Amino acid sequence: MAWDMLPMLAVMLPVLAMVAAVPLGARGAERLTLAYAPVGLALAIGIMLVVQLGGVPIRQELGHWAPPLGIAFRADGLAAAMLLTAALIIGAIAIFARADFGTAAGAAERRQAFAFWPLLLGLWAAINLAVVANDLFTLYVALELLTFAAMPLVCLDGSRATLQAALRYLMFALLGSVLYLLGVALIYGSAGTLDIVLLAQRVRGDIPVMIAIAVMTAGLLAKTALLPLHLWLPPAHAGAPAAASAVLSALVVKGSFVLVLRLWFGVMARVPMPDAAQILAGLGAAAILLGSVAALGQARLKLLVAYSTVAQIGYLFLMFPLLAASAGEVAAKAWTGGVVQAVSHAFAKAAMFLAAGIMAARFGHDRIADLSGAGRAMPVTLLTFALAGLSLMGVPPSGGFAAKWLLLSAAIGAGQWWWALVILGGGLLTGGYVYRVLAMGLRAGDPAPEPAPVAWQRDGIALALALVSVVLGFLPLAAFGLVQIGRLDVSP
Amino acid sequence: MSLLADGVTILCVLAGLVFFAAGTVGLLRFPDTASRLHALTKADHLGLGLVVLGLLPQMDSLAGILRLLAFWALVLLASAATGPMIARLLRRQGGIT
Amino acid sequence: MTEFLLAAALLVLVTVLGGLVRVLRGPADADRIMAAQLLGTGGIAALLLAGVAMAAPALFDLALILAVLAAFASVAMARLAPGDDPREPGP
Amino acid sequence: MTGTIFGLVGAALIGIGLFGMLVRRDALLRILSFNLLGGGVFLVFGAVARRGAGAGFGGDPVPQAIILTGIVVAFAATTLAVALVLRLAAAKDRA
Amino acid sequence: MIPALAADGLLAAGILALALGCVATRRAFASAALFIAYGLLLALAWARLDAPDVALTEASIGAGLSGVLLLGGVRRLEGLAEPSPDAETGPLLTILIGIGCAALTVAIGAAVLLLPDPTPSLAPQVAANLATTDLGNPVTAVLMSFRALDTLLESAVVLLAVVCVWALTPEGGWGGVAGLRQPVVRDGPLALLARVLPPLGIVIAIHILWVGADAPGGKFQAAAVLAAMWLMPWMAGLAPAPRIDARWLRLVLAAGPALFILIGLGGALAEGAFLAYPPGWAKPLILAIEIVLTASIAVALALLVMGPPEPPR
């Protein structure tokens, strides 16, 4: 077995499964997805081990055509971490979603069931492609694949409000990708290649390239929902079915975020942009504060979780000025902090949305003010929510703590102490909205008159995801060395 | 041969241009939609017909000639079908004045 | 000869682009459909002239596609225009 | 020269399309504007391709192939958006 | 030189006028009609840019199918109770947005003018490697060999789009016939055209597909023509749309992308890289993929235009 095949398989096998899911129909597609999930997980673990042990990215030139003419896959440490995250979360979601989108033997095919499985597989393929592709146009196709897979998930339930949310999301997403494509055209015209590794060597900061980076970043921010381009996110993520919300918040926004990283610290690795990075981080800080305050004020649980996503996305952008202004260990800390934030938020937010979904199913609504009694009726669910909340707050020991601690110390190391204040303030606000839910849930009260029993598997999956998010904080710091492998902004 | 062929080409293409121009002028200047429709369907397709006719001598193979004729047939067919549809549309929208 | 044909192609283009005014101004939907049709026919004529002049068979294929799809689009426009037979739903 | 002219047309189309997408409220007109914007982006790419002519080709075939792919993807996106708009209108109808 | 410049200038002016008209027109139908005319001119512009493959694609997909799709959308929207249109954007905001968009145009225009001269190009590399693919059309070589991954993924995107459109089926419509039921038009001009045009169009599509290996053309353009030739009799009620749960339909949809991936994986096994074709096998394999993919994409494009099934009334 040639190891360089692994990233290709991690992309192409889910695509093949998605294609096959269409003729197989809802029931066949469900089985195929569940059968493929362990294979995908094994591939992701394999890639992580190969990258970690080898210490260099895995590369394959497709069709033996070397860039710039051909396209290469390149799985670096960041890609390996995201692949594993995606595999774990999507696998968990697939099992969780069986209750909602499963088809019994002999039962007629339902619309939601037919659509959900190929969409989930397509989304998985798109995320994997977005992290291992090394060609700017292939990444554009990945973005579109991601949008197409995510949009119907938003309105799977078919109600008017979700359709409206889906339309708004689609418009933002399409605008974002077409702006990205514009930048691709200008970069190709300037440098004659779309391969990120080659671009990192060739690109100078001349005007067409700077304009290209500006429009591409703007487009990607619209897709990542960084404030002030976040307006589409809360209704879209809050209206979707729980399983869909979880993948949307945990993974889909991270796909376009990874592209921003590839642009700024791949294509532009030799061209520092410290001022622009300050602006990005400023937007991130505003997202942290305003998003958290908005979450505090929400009356509905799923909207609260969605606004929490807006806030947590803000943390991801704090790494930009720290990386732009420093080198060596401080920059390494900032990079690791950002990536760990992306990963730990993915697990925590998936867990949180699943828990919110379980509660909403049990209570028949998700009004926070009427959640009293949840603690007694569904302790595991509330515990899941609490654990995920702790990770989001950054309470030690958790993945969120590791991420925020790394960012904090990088901010101090880089002499940009003001970001440290933002991180601390954001943590407090996060504590506020998580506490609000927990306090209400622990209050005595009666949930629903005749509650349907929650399947223990569903609770178990949500809890497992929350635990992963916490356990990330126990990993020795050396394990995070993985994400440093293959960074283009430090390699000679 | 070549001189004669070129002469035919020039004549026919020029005539075709006249019809195209006439079609456009009709489309722009005629007062109502119905007469514009007449101007268009007549002039436009005669224009293309003459251009095709003019290009025929320039073809050096039978396949090329057939292909050119196929264009004309295709456009005439489409026009024959859409003309009445447009006229009906006009009636329904009350556009005949 | 080549120059003559290219000039003719240009002239066809000039005349049919004049028809654009009708597409832009209407006023009836039928006007727009007709002007678009004229644009299609003119485009085909210009492509044929240029194709012969430059001995480029690709332009012939383009004209062919244009002819087929212009027919398709004209039919669709005439059929889907608002106010046309309400018994007929569109795609 | 041709490349530059149409590159500038592309730049103008990008502005026009974006304006339409942001200003018009009718959903279908927004989708149409998105297509104008996309056409502009493809033209800018086409200008790049034209200026890269060489080796006996009238244009650089790599961006041409990319534009071709892009047109198909943009069409798929358009169908999706139109279907969504129609579905939403029907839902309003029933509500 | 001067006539060429004049042609470019005319086309440019026409394209811009139509685009402005599209955005400014009050009525949606007029905008859609303008858009079709715009697509026609854009196809001519691509011919002027020496990109005949793109011109064919723009004419068939950009102008033809997109235009008809938008027209159909306009038609159906007015059939539904007119949703109360949101208030138009206020004048101040409109001016601000206009200034912003103009600034963007200026920036992009400047970027186009400031691109390095000579523009870097991969044309020499394509020319040098064209022989190994046995193809004569460099664009097809890029699409099917050098950057085959993009084409493969794109075919998957088109398939996914069909799933997405079907996912928008209203309650009660699942498993039905794609799109609205079209009333049968047995005679009249539409029926005539719907009967005569498709055979011609199919021949043209096969021609376009076949020459695509060595001359401009290929699967996407051929598929778009085929889709149009299916849609035409469908609009006349003469060719019924398929049921979306028909097994054959779903198999045809999946066949192209599946074959492409399987051949790609075969390359990984035999040649050690995904999508590597064994020496001497490049052209036959590429042709096989193109033929099957044409069928899949044609069906997908037609289904995308037809839209999701409607519940019976």
Side-chain angles (χ1 to χ4, degrees):
Chain A
M1 179 74 197
W3 298 121
D4 62 349
M5 293 286 174
L6 290 179
M8 178 278 288
L9 290 174
V11 173
M12 294 323 301
L13 290 183
V15 175
L16 185 60
M18 177 196 91
V19 170
V22 173
L24 282 177
R27 186 168 157 77
E30 175 193 349
R31 293 170 146 195
L32 181 65
T33 311
L34 290 167
Y36 176 69
V39 179
L41 182 60
L43 282 172
I45 293 174
I47 291 169
M48 191 198 69
L49 288 176
V50 173
V51 173
Q52 175 82 309
L53 297 177
V56 287
I58 311 177
R59 236 181 109 82
Q60 186 184 26
E61 289 164 356
L62 299 171
H64 290 310
W65 296 113
L69 185 59
I71 297 172
F73 277 160
R74 178 174 180 276
D76 55 4
L78 168 66
M82 294 306 294
L83 286 171
L84 190 57
T85 308
L88 283 171
I89 291 180
I90 289 183
I93 298 290
I95 302 172
F96 183 90
R98 283 191 78 185
D100 301 316
F101 303 108
T103 307
E109 184 179 81
R110 290 179 306 134
R111 173 180 67 87
Q112 289 97 327
F114 167 80
F116 180 80
W117 301 105
L119 292 174
L120 190 67
L121 287 164
L123 203 144
W124 194 354
I127 294 278
N128 288 357
L129 182 64
V131 299
V132 303
N134 197 43
D135 180 282
L136 290 180
F137 184 71
T138 307
L139 286 171
Y140 166 79
V141 181
L143 277 179
E144 292 294 43
L145 203 59
L146 201 55
T147 303
F148 285 20
M151 187 282 281
L153 285 178
V154 169
C155 60
L156 213 49
D157 126 83
S159 74
R160 218 181 107 184
T162 59
L163 288 166
Q164 222 143 19
L167 183 60
R168 193 192 271 194
Y169 169 49
L170 186 64
M171 285 302 177
F172 266 94
L174 291 183
L175 187 57
S177 32
V178 83
L179 286 178
Y180 174 84
L181 188 61
L182 173 60
V184 174
L186 293 176
I187 286 185
Y188 184 87
S190 304
T193 179
L194 294 173
D195 184 80
I196 293 176
V197 175
L198 289 176
L199 282 170
Q201 298 155 8
R202 286 190 195 177
V203 160
R204 303 279 166 274
D206 44 4
I207 293 174
V209 172
M210 294 314 271
I211 292 176
I213 293 293
V215 292
M216 290 167 103
T217 306
L220 291 171
L221 293 188
K223 285 181 165 259
T224 313
L226 179 65
L227 194 109
L229 299 171
H230 67 289
L231 288 173
W232 59 267
L233 187 143
H237 286 194
S245 303
V247 275
L248 291 172
S249 251
L251 296 175
V252 173
V253 287
K254 307 286 164 38
S256 42
F257 171 70
V258 169
L259 257 72
V260 184
L261 287 184
R262 298 282 189 221
L263 279 188
W264 283 58
F265 305 109
V267 175
M268 302 299 276
R270 300 277 180 285
V271 189
M273 300 178 285
D275 298 338
Q278 289 287 339
I279 297 177
L280 272 192
L283 293 175
I288 295 173
L289 300 176
L290 297 177
S292 301
V293 169
L296 266 173
Q298 292 304 314
R300 287 184 45 218
L301 183 58
K302 289 187 81 178
L303 271 173
L304 179 147
V305 182
Y307 272 104
S308 153
T309 299
V310 172
Q312 294 288 325
I313 286 169
Y315 283 102
L316 297 174
F317 289 90
L318 295 185
M319 67 194 276
F320 284 78
L322 308 179
L323 276 163
S326 59
E329 202 178 339
V330 176
K333 268 187 184 169
W335 176 269
T336 306
V339 176
V340 174
Q341 163 68 13
V343 171
S344 74
H345 171 253
F347 285 106
K349 194 45 61 78
M352 216 175 212
F353 259 122
L354 293 186
I358 295 170
M359 283 194 240
R362 173 74 190 274
F363 280 83
H365 67 79
D366 69 339
R367 289 184 302 278
I368 298 169
D370 300 331
L371 287 182
S372 50
R376 184 168 322 150
M378 38 204 331
V380 180
T381 316
L382 205 64
L383 176 67
T384 301
F385 195 92
L387 284 176
L390 289 182
S391 185
L392 291 186
M393 282 153 65
V395 172
S398 68
F401 166 73
K404 276 139 206 165
W405 176 252
L406 285 165
L407 285 171
L408 198 82
S409 51
I412 304 221
Q416 302 184 14
W417 48 269
W418 49 91
W419 305 127
L421 291 183
V422 172
I423 294 170
L424 291 174
L428 285 177
L429 287 168
T430 312
Y433 62 73
V434 172
Y435 172 78
R436 228 186 107 209
V437 176
L438 294 182
M440 191 52 73
L442 289 173
R443 194 177 289 179
D446 240 352
E450 199 56 43
V454 178
W456 64 268
Q457 295 100 324
R458 280 160 83 84
D459 256 339
I461 286 165
L463 183 63
L465 287 172
L467 282 174
V468 173
S469 165
V470 170
V471 165
L472 277 173
F474 286 104
L475 287 182
L477 226 62
F480 295 140
L482 170 71
V483 304
Q484 300 288 337
I485 295 171
R487 268 177 66 193
L488 287 171
D489 54 331
V490 287
S491 51
Chain B
M1 168 61 203
S2 160
L3 200 64
L4 181 67
D6 284 2
V8 171
T9 301
I10 291 177
L11 269 179
C12 289
V13 169
L14 279 179
L17 281 177
V18 170
F19 273 97
F20 267 112
T24 307
V25 170
L27 194 61
L28 292 180
R29 306 287 307 186
F30 281 3
D32 60 290
T33 311
S35 48
R36 289 201 281 266
L37 177 62
H38 283 289
L40 173 81
T41 42
K42 300 273 181 317
D44 169 16
H45 299 107
L46 270 175
L48 183 67
L50 283 165
V51 167
V52 165
L53 200 64
L55 289 178
L56 284 181
Q58 303 292 325
M59 293 284 111
D60 39 16
S61 68
L62 185 65
I65 290 174
L66 288 177
R67 217 155 144 195
L68 269 182
L69 290 174
F71 278 106
W72 194 18
L74 208 59
V75 173
L76 277 184
L77 183 71
S79 154
T82 45
M85 288 177 77
I86 294 175
R88 196 185 56 169
L89 170 70
L90 215 51
R91 275 198 302 283
R92 287 192 191 278
Q93 289 193 342
I96 290 189
T97 45
Chain C
M1 201 64 209
T2 308
E3 292 78 16
F4 168 75
L5 290 176
L6 282 179
L10 185 64
L11 281 174
V12 172
L13 211 57
V14 172
T15 52
V16 295
L17 281 173
L20 271 188
V21 177
R22 267 295 160 224
V23 193
L24 286 166
R25 283 191 25 212
D29 287 336
D31 290 311
R32 295 206 170 81
I33 300 172
M34 289 185 308
Q37 211 180 334
L38 176 66
L39 206 60
T41 321
I44 293 166
L47 283 172
L48 289 180
L49 288 164
V52 173
M54 302 195 289
L59 292 182
F60 268 55
D61 284 335
L62 180 56
L64 205 56
I65 293 260
L66 221 53
V68 174
L69 280 133
F72 174 58
S74 299
V75 168
M77 279 196 275
R79 177 152 149 56
L80 297 173
D84 196 40
D85 196 346
R87 284 179 296 111
E88 305 173 10
Chain D
M1 194 61 206
T2 302
T4 309
I5 290 177
F6 286 111
L8 294 177
V9 171
L13 284 177
I14 290 167
I16 295 171
L18 186 64
F19 180 79
M21 255 185 117
L22 296 177
V23 165
R24 297 308 302 261
R25 286 280 169 260
D26 183 326
L28 277 179
L29 284 176
R30 284 187 162 177
I31 296 170
L32 203 147
S33 301
F34 161 73
N35 272 283
L36 296 178
L37 174 51
V41 171
F42 295 138
L43 271 185
V44 170
F45 224 149
V48 169
R50 182 76 182 84
R51 292 165 60 127
F57 302 139
D60 186 345
V62 171
Q64 288 187 3
I66 287 176
I67 296 164
L68 219 152
T69 309
I71 290 177
V72 180
V73 173
F75 171 74
T78 307
T79 59
L80 214 57
V82 169
L84 189 53
V85 167
L86 290 176
R87 177 78 176 82
L88 184 61
K92 276 180 177 165
D93 208 13
R94 230 160 281 150
Chain E
M1 184 60 211
I2 298 297
L5 208 60
D8 291 344
L10 276 172
L11 281 174
I15 290 171
L16 288 179
L18 284 171
L20 281 171
C22 274
V23 173
T25 308
R26 292 268 149 240
R27 289 182 52 239
F29 177 83
S31 281
L34 289 176
F35 182 76
I36 291 179
Y38 155 89
L40 279 172
L41 287 190
L42 210 52
L44 296 182
W46 285 116
R48 286 287 308 142
L49 282 168
D50 257 323
D53 295 270
V54 181
L56 287 170
T57 316
E58 176 63 39
S60 52
I61 295 183
L65 291 183
S66 293
V68 171
L69 175 83
L70 288 167
L71 281 173
V74 170
R75 173 64 190 257
R76 273 180 68 178
L77 260 192
E78 68 164 24
L80 302 162
E82 188 62 35
S84 60
D86 305 311
E88 285 292 316
T89 313
L92 182 67
L93 192 58
T94 306
I95 291 170
L96 283 179
I97 292 174
I99 292 172
C101 293
L104 179 67
T105 294
V106 171
I108 306 298
V112 169
L113 291 174
L114 289 173
L115 285 178
D117 202 23
T119 305
S121 169
L122 289 175
Q125 291 210 32
V126 173
N129 292 297
L130 195 56
T132 57
T133 62
D134 295 327
L135 299 170
N137 179 357
V139 176
T140 306
V142 174
L143 284 173
M144 297 307 294
S145 185
F146 308 138
R147 296 183 65 95
L149 176 72
D150 289 342
T151 313
L152 194 172
L153 290 169
E154 178 201 10
S155 67
V157 167
V158 172
L159 174 67
L160 188 65
V162 175
V163 174
C164 294
V165 167
W166 286 358
L168 292 169
T169 305
E171 244 15 84
W174 188 252
V177 165
L180 280 182
R181 266 169 216 281
Q182 304 292 318
V184 180
V185 183
R186 289 230 175 273
D187 39 36
L190 178 60
L192 172 75
L193 205 57
R195 285 202 184 88
V196 179
L197 200 56
L200 256 171
I202 290 168
V203 173
I204 292 173
I206 292 172
H207 166 72
I208 294 285
L209 173 64
W210 191 248
V211 301
D214 293 314
K219 61 210 153 307
F220 292 123
Q221 299 91 338
V225 173
L226 285 178
M229 292 310 108
W230 188 9
L231 289 168
M232 189 98 134
W234 171 70
M235 285 193 327
L238 298 175
R243 287 175 61 86
I244 63 164
D245 55 3
R247 177 53 68 92
W248 69 265
L249 182 73
R250 294 185 178 182
L251 281 174
V252 172
L253 277 174
L259 179 71
F260 207 159
I261 298 173
L262 290 176
I263 288 182
L265 290 174
L269 281 181
E271 296 294 311
F274 187 64
L275 286 168
Y277 304 111
W281 279 85
K283 192 164 182 181
L285 285 176
I286 287 175
L287 278 181
I289 295 172
E290 288 226 305
I291 289 169
V292 180
L293 210 51
T294 303
S296 294
I297 293 177
V299 171
L301 292 178
L303 288 169
L304 286 174
V305 176
M306 288 173 184
E310 289 289 325
R313 297 186 182 170

